[in-house]
Amino acid sequence: LLSLIIYQELAKKFISVRYESSLDWISSLIQQKYHAPTTFYNHVKLYESVSFLIIDEITESISKDGVPTELERQMLFQIINKRYENSLCTLVITNRDINAVQKRLGQPTADRLSENGITLIFNWHSYR
């Protein structure tokens, strides 16, 4: 809810912002990578350059066990790293603790997300 409020407020101020559910987003990127390389390249460039990117459930995967595959981790790293290099804002949402984030995404991606970043922990019970 909070991320969508942030999204709406940024959009009202004409700041380029994207919200993506990682499960749908990663699935779409993988399909594009193998079926439409030009479309894939254009989408990656968009995600690397949008002013504010929100990725919901970043630690989850479309794989059978729910753990991001090496390909998913590489794509996330590529985008997160480029955004890091360009000092662009990235908001990631997960229900996992920091250790699980590091394990599921890999240390390099977790490092880029945490350096010069803020971690907010909401440790109350889920209302879903």
Side-chain angles (χ1 to χ4, degrees), residues 6-59:
I6 292 169
Y7 174 91
Q8 289 174 343
E9 290 303 313
L10 291 172
K12 284 179 190 176
K13 295 179 185 198
F14 303 103
I15 295 172
S16 62
V17 59
R18 296 282 304 212
Y19 173 93
E20 298 291 342
S21 165
S22 72
L23 295 174
D24 296 335
W25 180 52
I26 291 294
S27 176
S28 174
L29 282 175
I30 290 171
Q31 288 175 358
Q32 290 171 13
K33 181 175 179 71
Y34 295 109
H35 298 292
T38 303
T39 304
F40 169 76
Y41 176 79
N42 290 337
H43 274 85
V44 168
K45 289 298 172 196
L46 169 70
Y47 296 123
E48 290 175 348
S49 64
V50 66
S51 295
F52 198 99
L53 178 61
I54 302 168
I55 307 172
D56 196 2
E57 295 296 348
I58 193 169
T59 55

Coordinates of all heavy atoms in Angstrom, one line a residue, residues 6-59:
I6 N 3.4 6.1 -2.7 CA 4.6 6.7 -3.2 C 4.5 6.9 -4.7 O 4.8 7.9 -5.3 CB 5.9 6.0 -2.8 CG1 6.0 6.1 -1.2 CG2 7.1 6.5 -3.5 CD1 7.1 5.1 -0.7
Y7 N 4.2 5.8 -5.4 CA 4.0 5.8 -6.8 C 3.1 6.9 -7.3 O 3.4 7.7 -8.2 CB 3.5 4.4 -7.3 CG 3.2 4.4 -8.8 CD1 4.2 4.0 -9.7 CD2 2.0 4.7 -9.3 CE1 3.9 4.0 -11.1 CE2 1.7 4.7 -10.6 CZ 2.7 4.3 -11.5 OH 2.4 4.3 -12.9
Q8 N 1.9 7.0 -6.7 CA 0.9 8.0 -7.1 C 1.4 9.4 -6.9 O 1.2 10.2 -7.7 CB -0.4 7.7 -6.3 CG -1.1 6.5 -6.8 CD -2.3 6.2 -5.9 OE1 -2.5 6.8 -4.8 NE2 -3.2 5.3 -6.4
E9 N 2.1 9.6 -5.8 CA 2.6 11.0 -5.5 C 3.7 11.4 -6.4 O 3.7 12.5 -6.9 CB 3.0 11.1 -4.0 CG 1.9 11.0 -3.0 CD 0.8 12.1 -3.2 OE1 1.2 13.3 -3.4 OE2 -0.4 11.7 -3.2
L10 N 4.6 10.5 -6.8 CA 5.6 10.8 -7.7 C 5.1 11.1 -9.1 O 5.5 12.0 -9.8 CB 6.7 9.7 -7.8 CG 7.5 9.5 -6.5 CD1 8.3 8.2 -6.6 CD2 8.4 10.7 -6.3
A11 N 4.1 10.2 -9.5 CA 3.5 10.4 -10.8 C 2.7 11.7 -10.9 O 2.8 12.4 -12.0 CB 2.5 9.2 -11.1
K12 N 2.1 12.2 -9.8 CA 1.4 13.5 -9.8 C 2.4 14.6 -10.1 O 2.0 15.6 -10.6 CB 0.7 13.7 -8.5 CG -0.6 12.9 -8.3 CD -1.1 13.2 -6.9 CE -2.3 12.3 -6.6 NZ -2.8 12.5 -5.2
K13 N 3.6 14.4 -9.6 CA 4.7 15.4 -9.8 C 5.5 15.2 -11.1 O 6.5 15.9 -11.3 CB 5.6 15.4 -8.6 CG 4.9 15.8 -7.3 CD 5.7 15.8 -6.1 CE 4.8 16.0 -5.0 NZ 5.2 16.4 -3.8
F14 N 5.0 14.4 -12.0 CA 5.5 14.1 -13.3 C 7.0 13.6 -13.2 O 7.8 13.8 -14.1 CB 5.5 15.4 -14.2 CG 4.1 15.9 -14.4 CD1 3.7 17.0 -13.7 CD2 3.2 15.2 -15.2 CE1 2.4 17.5 -13.8 CE2 1.9 15.7 -15.3 CZ 1.5 16.8 -14.6
I15 N 7.2 12.8 -12.2 CA 8.5 12.1 -12.0 C 8.3 10.7 -12.6 O 7.3 10.0 -12.4 CB 8.9 12.0 -10.5 CG1 9.2 13.4 -10.0 CG2 10.1 11.1 -10.4 CD1 9.4 13.5 -8.5
S16 N 9.3 10.3 -13.5 CA 9.1 9.0 -14.1 C 9.3 7.9 -13.0 O 10.3 7.8 -12.4 CB 10.1 8.8 -15.2 OG 11.5 8.8 -14.7
V17 N 8.2 7.1 -12.9 CA 8.2 6.0 -11.9 C 7.6 4.8 -12.5 O 6.7 4.9 -13.3 CB 7.4 6.6 -10.6 CG1 6.0 7.0 -11.0 CG2 7.4 5.6 -9.5
R18 N 8.1 3.6 -12.1 CA 7.5 2.4 -12.5 C 7.3 1.5 -11.3 O 8.1 1.5 -10.4 CB 8.4 1.6 -13.4 CG 8.7 2.2 -14.8 CD 7.7 2.1 -15.7 NE 7.3 0.7 -16.0 CZ 6.9 0.2 -17.1 NH1 6.7 1.1 -18.1 NH2 6.5 -1.0 -17.3
Y19 N 6.2 0.7 -11.3 CA 5.9 -0.2 -10.2 C 5.8 -1.6 -10.9 O 5.1 -1.7 -11.9 CB 4.6 0.1 -9.5 CG 4.2 -1.0 -8.6 CD1 4.5 -1.0 -7.2 CD2 3.4 -2.1 -9.0 CE1 4.1 -2.0 -6.3 CE2 3.1 -3.2 -8.1 CZ 3.4 -3.1 -6.8 OH 3.1 -4.1 -5.9
E20 N 6.6 -2.6 -10.4 CA 6.5 -3.9 -11.0 C 6.4 -5.0 -9.9 O 7.1 -4.9 -8.9 CB 7.8 -4.2 -11.8 CG 8.0 -3.2 -13.0 CD 7.0 -3.4 -14.1 OE1 6.4 -4.5 -14.2 OE2 6.9 -2.5 -14.9
S21 N 5.6 -5.9 -10.1 CA 5.6 -7.1 -9.3 C 6.7 -8.0 -9.9 O 6.7 -8.3 -11.1 CB 4.2 -7.8 -9.5 OG 4.3 -9.1 -9.0
S22 N 7.6 -8.4 -9.1 CA 8.8 -9.1 -9.6 C 8.4 -10.4 -10.3 O 9.0 -10.8 -11.3 CB 9.8 -9.4 -8.5 OG 9.3 -10.4 -7.6
L23 N 7.4 -11.1 -9.8 CA 7.0 -12.4 -10.5 C 6.6 -12.2 -11.9 O 7.0 -12.8 -12.8 CB 5.9 -13.1 -9.7 CG 6.3 -13.5 -8.3 CD1 5.1 -14.1 -7.6 CD2 7.4 -14.5 -8.3
D24 N 5.7 -11.2 -12.2 CA 5.2 -10.9 -13.5 C 6.4 -10.3 -14.3 O 6.6 -10.6 -15.5 CB 4.1 -9.9 -13.5 CG 2.8 -10.5 -12.8 OD1 2.7 -11.7 -12.8 OD2 2.0 -9.7 -12.3
W25 N 7.1 -9.4 -13.7 CA 8.2 -8.6 -14.4 C 9.3 -9.6 -14.9 O 9.7 -9.5 -16.0 CB 8.7 -7.6 -13.4 CG 9.8 -6.7 -13.9 CD1 9.8 -6.0 -15.1 CD2 11.0 -6.5 -13.3 NE1 11.0 -5.3 -15.1 CE2 11.7 -5.6 -14.0 CE3 11.6 -6.9 -12.1 CZ2 13.0 -5.1 -13.7 CZ3 12.8 -6.4 -11.7 CH2 13.5 -5.5 -12.5
I26 N 9.8 -10.4 -14.0 CA 10.9 -11.3 -14.4 C 10.4 -12.3 -15.4 O 11.1 -12.6 -16.4 CB 11.4 -12.0 -13.1 CG1 12.2 -11.1 -12.2 CG2 12.3 -13.2 -13.5 CD1 13.4 -10.5 -12.8
S27 N 9.2 -12.8 -15.3 CA 8.7 -13.8 -16.3 C 8.6 -13.1 -17.6 O 9.0 -13.7 -18.6 CB 7.3 -14.2 -15.8 OG 6.7 -15.0 -16.8
S28 N 8.1 -11.9 -17.7 CA 8.0 -11.1 -18.9 C 9.4 -10.9 -19.5 O 9.6 -11.0 -20.8 CB 7.3 -9.8 -18.7 OG 7.3 -9.0 -19.9
L29 N 10.4 -10.5 -18.7 CA 11.7 -10.2 -19.2 C 12.3 -11.5 -19.8 O 13.0 -11.4 -20.8 CB 12.6 -9.6 -18.1 CG 12.4 -8.2 -17.8 CD1 13.3 -7.8 -16.6 CD2 12.7 -7.3 -19.0
I30 N 12.2 -12.6 -19.1 CA 12.7 -13.9 -19.6 C 12.1 -14.2 -20.9 O 12.9 -14.6 -21.9 CB 12.6 -15.0 -18.6 CG1 13.5 -14.7 -17.3 CG2 12.9 -16.4 -19.2 CD1 13.2 -15.6 -16.2
Q31 N 10.8 -14.1 -21.1 CA 10.2 -14.4 -22.4 C 10.7 -13.5 -23.5 O 11.0 -14.0 -24.6 CB 8.7 -14.3 -22.2 CG 8.0 -15.4 -21.4 CD 6.5 -15.1 -21.2 OE1 6.0 -14.1 -21.6 NE2 5.9 -16.1 -20.5
Q32 N 10.8 -12.2 -23.2 CA 11.3 -11.3 -24.2 C 12.8 -11.6 -24.5 O 13.2 -11.4 -25.7 CB 11.2 -9.8 -23.6 CG 9.8 -9.4 -23.5 CD 9.7 -8.0 -22.8 OE1 10.7 -7.4 -22.6 NE2 8.5 -7.7 -22.4
K33 N 13.6 -12.0 -23.6 CA 15.0 -12.2 -23.8 C 15.2 -13.3 -24.9 O 16.0 -13.2 -25.8 CB 15.7 -12.7 -22.5 CG 17.1 -13.0 -22.7 CD 17.8 -13.3 -21.3 CE 19.2 -13.6 -21.4 NZ 20.0 -12.4 -21.7
Y34 N 14.3 -14.3 -24.9 CA 14.4 -15.4 -25.9 C 13.6 -15.2 -27.1 O 13.9 -15.8 -28.1 CB 14.2 -16.7 -25.2 CG 15.2 -17.0 -24.1 CD1 14.9 -16.9 -22.8 CD2 16.5 -17.3 -24.5 CE1 15.9 -17.2 -21.8 CE2 17.5 -17.5 -23.5 CZ 17.2 -17.5 -22.2 OH 18.1 -17.7 -21.2
H35 N 12.5 -14.5 -27.0 CA 11.6 -14.3 -28.2 C 11.7 -13.0 -28.9 O 11.4 -12.9 -30.1 CB 10.1 -14.6 -27.7 CG 10.0 -16.0 -27.2 ND1 10.0 -17.1 -28.0 CD2 9.7 -16.4 -26.0 CE1 9.8 -18.2 -27.3 NE2 9.6 -17.8 -26.0
A36 N 12.1 -12.0 -28.2 CA 12.1 -10.6 -28.8 C 13.3 -9.8 -28.2 O 13.1 -9.0 -27.4 CB 10.8 -9.9 -28.6
P37 N 14.5 -10.2 -28.6 CA 15.7 -9.5 -28.0 C 15.7 -8.0 -28.0 O 16.1 -7.4 -27.1 CB 16.9 -10.1 -28.8 CG 16.4 -11.4 -29.4 CD 14.9 -11.2 -29.6
T38 N 15.2 -7.4 -29.1 CA 15.1 -6.0 -29.2 C 14.2 -5.4 -28.1 O 14.5 -4.4 -27.4 CB 14.7 -5.5 -30.6 OG1 15.6 -6.1 -31.5 CG2 14.7 -4.0 -30.7
T39 N 13.0 -6.0 -28.0 CA 12.1 -5.6 -26.9 C 12.7 -5.8 -25.6 O 12.5 -4.9 -24.7 CB 10.8 -6.4 -27.1 OG1 10.2 -6.3 -28.4 CG2 9.7 -5.9 -26.1
F40 N 13.4 -6.9 -25.3 CA 14.0 -7.1 -24.1 C 15.0 -6.0 -23.8 O 15.0 -5.4 -22.7 CB 14.7 -8.5 -24.1 CG 15.7 -8.7 -22.9 CD1 15.2 -9.0 -21.7 CD2 17.0 -8.6 -23.1 CE1 16.0 -9.2 -20.6 CE2 17.9 -8.8 -22.0 CZ 17.4 -9.1 -20.8
Y41 N 15.9 -5.7 -24.7 CA 16.9 -4.7 -24.6 C 16.2 -3.3 -24.2 O 16.7 -2.6 -23.3 CB 17.7 -4.6 -25.8 CG 18.7 -3.5 -25.8 CD1 19.9 -3.6 -25.1 CD2 18.5 -2.2 -26.4 CE1 20.9 -2.6 -25.1 CE2 19.5 -1.2 -26.4 CZ 20.6 -1.4 -25.7 OH 21.6 -0.4 -25.7
N42 N 15.2 -3.0 -24.9 CA 14.5 -1.7 -24.7 C 13.9 -1.7 -23.3 O 13.9 -0.6 -22.6 CB 13.4 -1.5 -25.7 CG 14.0 -1.2 -27.1 OD1 15.1 -0.7 -27.2 ND2 13.2 -1.4 -28.1
H43 N 13.3 -2.8 -22.8 CA 12.7 -2.8 -21.5 C 13.8 -2.7 -20.4 O 13.7 -2.0 -19.4 CB 11.9 -4.1 -21.2 CG 10.5 -4.0 -21.7 ND1 10.1 -4.2 -23.0 CD2 9.4 -3.7 -21.0 CE1 8.8 -4.0 -23.1 NE2 8.4 -3.7 -21.9
V44 N 14.9 -3.4 -20.6 CA 16.0 -3.3 -19.6 C 16.5 -1.9 -19.5 O 16.7 -1.3 -18.5 CB 17.2 -4.3 -20.0 CG1 18.4 -4.0 -19.2 CG2 16.7 -5.7 -19.8
K45 N 16.7 -1.2 -20.7 CA 17.1 0.2 -20.7 C 16.1 1.1 -20.0 O 16.5 2.0 -19.2 CB 17.3 0.7 -22.1 CG 18.5 0.1 -22.8 CD 19.8 0.5 -22.0 CE 21.0 -0.2 -22.5 NZ 22.1 -0.2 -21.6
L46 N 14.8 0.8 -20.1 CA 13.8 1.6 -19.4 C 13.9 1.4 -17.9 O 13.9 2.4 -17.2 CB 12.4 1.1 -19.9 CG 11.2 1.7 -19.0 CD1 11.0 3.2 -19.3 CD2 9.9 0.9 -19.3
Y47 N 14.1 0.2 -17.5 CA 14.2 -0.1 -16.0 C 15.5 0.5 -15.5 O 15.6 0.8 -14.3 CB 14.0 -1.5 -15.7 CG 12.7 -2.1 -16.1 CD1 12.5 -3.1 -16.9 CD2 11.5 -1.5 -15.5 CE1 11.3 -3.6 -17.3 CE2 10.3 -1.9 -15.9 CZ 10.1 -3.0 -16.7 OH 8.9 -3.4 -17.1
E48 N 16.5 0.5 -16.3 CA 17.8 1.1 -15.9 C 17.8 2.6 -15.8 O 18.6 3.2 -15.1 CB 18.9 0.7 -16.8 CG 19.3 -0.8 -16.7 CD 20.3 -1.2 -17.8 OE1 20.6 -0.5 -18.7 OE2 20.8 -2.4 -17.6
S49 N 16.8 3.2 -16.4 CA 16.8 4.7 -16.5 C 15.7 5.4 -15.8 O 15.8 6.6 -15.6 CB 16.9 5.1 -18.0 OG 15.8 4.7 -18.7
V50 N 14.6 4.8 -15.5 CA 13.4 5.4 -14.9 C 13.9 6.0 -13.6 O 14.7 5.5 -12.9 CB 12.2 4.4 -14.7 CG1 12.6 3.4 -13.7 CG2 11.0 5.2 -14.4
S51 N 13.4 7.2 -13.3 CA 13.8 7.9 -12.1 C 13.6 7.2 -10.8 O 14.4 7.2 -9.9 CB 13.1 9.3 -12.0 OG 13.5 10.1 -13.0
F52 N 12.5 6.5 -10.6 CA 12.1 5.8 -9.4 C 11.5 4.4 -9.8 O 10.5 4.4 -10.4 CB 11.1 6.6 -8.6 CG 11.1 6.2 -7.1 CD1 11.8 6.9 -6.2 CD2 10.3 5.1 -6.7 CE1 11.7 6.6 -4.8 CE2 10.2 4.8 -5.4 CZ 10.9 5.5 -4.5
L53 N 12.1 3.4 -9.4 CA 11.7 2.0 -9.7 C 11.2 1.3 -8.4 O 12.0 1.3 -7.5 CB 12.7 1.2 -10.4 CG 12.4 -0.3 -10.8 CD1 11.2 -0.3 -11.7 CD2 13.6 -1.0 -11.3
I54 N 10.0 0.8 -8.4 CA 9.5 0.0 -7.3 C 9.4 -1.5 -7.7 O 8.7 -1.7 -8.7 CB 8.1 0.5 -6.8 CG1 8.2 2.0 -6.5 CG2 7.6 -0.3 -5.7 CD1 6.9 2.7 -6.3
I55 N 10.0 -2.4 -7.0 CA 9.9 -3.8 -7.3 C 9.3 -4.5 -6.1 O 9.9 -4.5 -5.0 CB 11.3 -4.4 -7.7 CG1 12.0 -3.6 -8.8 CG2 11.1 -5.9 -8.1 CD1 13.4 -4.1 -9.0
D56 N 8.2 -5.0 -6.3 CA 7.4 -5.7 -5.2 C 7.8 -7.2 -5.2 O 7.9 -7.8 -6.2 CB 5.9 -5.5 -5.4 CG 5.1 -5.8 -4.2 OD1 5.7 -6.2 -3.1 OD2 3.9 -5.8 -4.3
E57 N 8.0 -7.7 -4.0 CA 8.3 -9.1 -3.8 C 9.6 -9.5 -4.6 O 9.6 -10.6 -5.2 CB 7.2 -10.1 -4.1 CG 6.0 -9.9 -3.3 CD 6.2 -10.2 -1.8 OE1 7.2 -10.9 -1.4 OE2 5.3 -9.9 -1.0
I58 N 10.7 -8.8 -4.4 CA 11.9 -8.9 -5.2 C 12.6 -10.3 -4.9 O 13.3 -10.8 -5.7 CB 12.9 -7.8 -5.0 CG1 14.0 -7.8 -6.0 CG2 13.4 -7.8 -3.5 CD1 14.8 -6.6 -6.1
T59 N 12.4 -10.9 -3.7 CA 13.1 -12.1 -3.4 C 12.3 -13.3 -3.9 O 12.8 -14.5 -3.7 CB 13.3 -12.2 -1.9 OG1 12.0 -12.1 -1.2 CG2 14.2 -11.1 -1.4

